[in-house]
């Protein structure tokens, strides 16, 4: 082993490891027992991966002859894994502030959507924006997410709908993956809305016959690498059958299934996600009891989005029922022109206050479980040797009271 390392975080009051047995996710019981080391240190190697973690004295002894590029004294501070934002729509042009006024006056999300606003408004502005403009605003948004402690973020396309604009968005995401110091999981969301002038069937066929083969070819050419496929499964958008067809076609080209469901109307989306082997379904404000059982049995994560229920005044997702039933609960900011939130700390806060999750449950949902929902829990979501060294240092001595655990 080389004697040069990138970073030593020394003597943290609390080092919140989350879990230490290579767990892929935590369920209700595991969330109550997050692993927290006190007076502890952590070493990150030149490759960016965690090399050692343990009591300050032990690490001090083991690395007494090592050289570190940077040493940070974490006395009086608390170290957490970087937050993972499991659901965002961050590439777009054209704000929708006027829609907030309409909503305050009583319009619903679907009223606005059906009158050509909402997603379709953003689609028009994103189509006319240049790739460079989209990249610049996206970059600023990612920088703000990083400043709020997010180190891995799921980023969707979905304001293109036409193949060309979807590819423009995915190229912008790909460029950020290469150029920026934030981890990105890229999601093709061409079925985010039915394009003007097309029926659901025509849109579904276009995606299956043209978009997905193009993505497959671009992956083979090493041009664009997409991780997940998403569909907005909702009354008046993509119904259950078209959602199934699109997801199956995405699965056939190797994409993880991770889609919007049961948000405004009960659609049996959770049941569909479980049946198809989806990694995750997002929203779920209108999930059924059967949907909850199906997610638990299939180990399909529920990505809950407290900002959406807040801004649209929807009923809160049933986080407690899901946790009790054994569902893998994750969190995301749902950053988009309708829910303008960069901050996973705020998302965790809303999850606690509005969805009645505990601090520990919210942190596990924003780290190891969010990593699971993106198929990344082998490398992200906890501070374990061999995982990526993504950390947040907070200027406070504790995240949790260990004697109350
Ligand atoms: N519900 C569908 N998609 C987004 C909203 C996108 C938009 O309104 O632009 C969501 O997750 O909340
Ligand atoms: Zn969304």
């Amino acid at each position: 082993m080389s004697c040069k390392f990138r970073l030593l975080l020394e003597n943290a009051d609390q080092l919140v490891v989350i879990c230490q047995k290579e767990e892929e996710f935590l369920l209700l019981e595991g969330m109550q027992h997050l692993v927290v080391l006190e007076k502890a240190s952590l070493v990150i190697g030149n490759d960016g991966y965690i090399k050692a973690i343990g009591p300050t004295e032990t690490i001090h002894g083991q690395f007494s002859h090592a050289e570190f590029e940077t040493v940070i004294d974490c006395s009086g501070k608390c170290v957490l894994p970087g937050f993972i934002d499991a659901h965002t729509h961050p590439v777009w042009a054209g704000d929708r502030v006027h829609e907030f006024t309409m909503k305050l006056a009583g319009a619903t999300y679907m009223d606005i959507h059906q009158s050509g606003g909402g997603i379709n408004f953003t689609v028009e502005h994103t189509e006319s924006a240049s790739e460079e403009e989209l990249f610049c605003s996206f970059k600023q948004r990612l920088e703000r997410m990083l400043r709020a402690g997010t180190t891995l973020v799921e980023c969707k396309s979905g304001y293109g709908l036409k193949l060309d604009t979807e590819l423009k968005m995915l190229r912008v995401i790909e460029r950020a993956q290469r150029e920026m110091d934030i981890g990105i999981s890229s999601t093709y969301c061409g079925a985010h809305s039915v394009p003007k002038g097309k029926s659901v069937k025509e849109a579904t066929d276009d995606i299956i016959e043209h978009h997905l083969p193009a993505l497959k070819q671009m992956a083979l050419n090493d041009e664009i690498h997409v991780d997940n496929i998403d569909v907005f499964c909702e009354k008046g958008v993509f119904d259950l059958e078209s959602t199934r067809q699109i997801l199956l076609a995405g699965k056939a080209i190797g994409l993880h299934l991770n889609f919007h469901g049961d948000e405004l109307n009960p659609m049996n989306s959770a049941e569909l996600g479980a049946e198809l082997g989806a990694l995750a379904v997002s929203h779920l404000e209108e999930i059924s009891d059967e949907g909850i059982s199906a997610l638990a049995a299939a180990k399909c994560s529920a990505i809950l989005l407290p900002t959406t229920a807040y801004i649209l005044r929807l009923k809160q997702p049933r986080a407690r029922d899901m946790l009790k039933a054994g569902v893998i609960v994750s969190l995301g900011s749902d950053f988009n022109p309708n829910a303008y939130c960069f901050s996973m700390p705020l998302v965790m806060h809303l999850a606690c206050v509005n969805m009645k999750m505990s601090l520990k449950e919210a942190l596990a949902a924003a780290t190891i479980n969010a990593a699971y929902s993106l198929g990344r829990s082998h490398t992200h979501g906890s501070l374990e040797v061999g995982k990526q060294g993504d950390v947040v240092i907070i200027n406070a001595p504790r995240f949790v009271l260990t004697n109350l655990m």
Side-chain angles (χ1 to χ4, degrees), residues 309-378:
Y310 164 77
I311 192 123
L312 297 182
R313 295 175 171 150
L314 305 178
K315 67 182 183 204
Q316 295 292 326
R318 295 160 58 194
R320 291 251 62 85
D321 291 342
M322 293 184 202
L323 286 166
K324 273 186 216 138
V327 175
I328 303 162
V329 171
S330 312
L331 288 171
S333 69
D334 197 16
F335 173 81
N336 75 71
N338 166 67
Y340 204 86
C341 174
F342 297 107
S343 161
M344 286 305 287
L346 178 64
V347 168
M348 288 187 270
H349 175 83
L350 290 173
C352 292
V353 175
N354 290 343
M355 288 167 25
K356 301 188 168 47
M357 291 175 72
S358 70
L359 282 169
K360 284 185 259 179
E361 288 164 351
L363 183 63
T367 53
I368 190 69
N369 286 3
Y372 174 83
S373 74
L374 303 176
R376 299 279 188 104
S377 49
H378 55 296

Side-chain angles (χ1 to χ4, degrees), residues 5 7 9 15 17 41-54 63 80-81 379-391:
F5 297 87
L7 180 63
L9 300 181
L15 223 153
V17 169
S41 299
L42 177 142
V43 175
I44 297 174
N46 285 325
D47 56 4
Y49 289 88
I50 299 174
K51 299 299 170 197
I53 183 160
F63 290 84
L80 308 170
T379 46
H380 292 77
S382 60
L383 299 178
E384 294 179 81
V385 171
K387 283 199 178 184
Q388 197 155 309
D390 291 346
V391 298

Side-chain angles (χ1 to χ4, degrees), residues 262-319:
D262 297 331
E263 176 186 354
L264 306 170
N265 294 280
M267 298 288 292
N268 291 331
S269 312
E271 289 88 330
L272 180 68
E275 177 196 325
L276 299 184
L279 268 186
V281 182
S282 288
H283 284 291
L284 302 168
E285 287 82 354
E286 298 287 345
I287 194 171
S288 64
D289 290 343
E290 293 72 23
I292 293 180
S293 307
L295 289 186
K299 296 194 172 71
C300 175
S301 176
I303 302 177
L304 305 185
L305 308 169
T307 59
T308 322
Y310 164 77
I311 192 123
L312 297 182
R313 295 175 171 150
L314 305 178
K315 67 182 183 204
Q316 295 292 326
R318 295 160 58 194

Side-chain angles (χ1 to χ4, degrees), residues 51-250:
K51 299 299 170 197
I53 183 160
T56 298
E57 291 315 315
T58 313
I59 298 293
H60 191 76
Q62 277 175 3
F63 290 84
S64 54
H65 300 297
E67 278 178 50
F68 297 95
E69 208 176 295
T70 308
V71 177
I72 301 178
D73 176 9
C74 294
S75 317
K77 299 186 172 48
C78 173
V79 178
L80 308 170
F83 306 128
I84 299 176
D85 188 340
H87 183 133
T88 77
H89 304 255
V91 183
W92 46 267
D95 73 69
R96 303 215 312 251
V97 173
H98 56 284
E99 291 184 3
F100 187 50
T101 311
M102 292 161 76
K103 282 180 213 134
L104 293 181
T108 66
Y109 183 82
M110 266 302 161
D111 291 338
I112 297 172
H113 182 84
Q114 275 157 0
S115 66
I119 294 173
N120 294 321
F121 176 93
T122 307
V123 166
E124 278 170 30
H125 287 259
T126 304
E127 184 173 4
S128 38
S130 71
E131 200 160 318
E132 192 58 29
E133 279 163 358
L134 288 176
F135 180 75
C136 287
S137 54
F138 178 44
K139 181 169 183 278
Q140 284 171 4
R141 291 169 191 153
L142 291 176
E143 283 164 354
R144 291 179 70 177
M145 288 176 185
L146 253 178
R147 282 206 294 278
T150 296
T151 52
L152 174 63
V153 55
E154 185 263 6
C155 297
K156 300 178 195 296
S157 66
Y159 294 120
L161 311 183
K162 290 180 192 157
L163 179 58
D164 281 357
T165 318
E166 283 296 311
L167 292 179
K168 177 167 72 171
M169 295 181 75
L170 291 170
R171 278 195 302 272
V172 163
I173 295 172
E174 186 89 16
R175 179 172 164 196
Q177 278 174 325
R178 284 195 309 272
E179 295 184 12
M180 296 197 59
D181 283 335
I182 186 167
I184 292 178
S185 176
S186 164
T187 301
Y188 162 74
C189 186
H192 197 198
S193 180
V194 179
K196 254 191 205 154
K198 274 206 165 89
S199 66
V200 175
K201 179 167 181 346
E202 286 165 343
T204 303
D205 291 348
D206 185 35
I207 288 169
I208 295 173
E209 288 163 20
H210 301 112
H211 291 213
L212 295 177
L215 289 185
K216 184 179 171 189
Q217 191 54 49
M218 294 181 99
L220 289 172
N221 298 347
D222 218 11
E223 290 171 63
I224 291 182
H225 309 86
V226 176
D227 301 294
N228 319 292
I229 181 164
D230 193 346
V231 177
F232 187 10
C233 179
E234 182 58 61
K235 196 170 160 191
V237 192
F238 287 89
D239 57 35
L240 203 67
E241 194 41 43
S242 52
T243 303
R244 178 200 302 278
Q245 288 171 22
I246 295 168
L247 291 176
L248 283 173

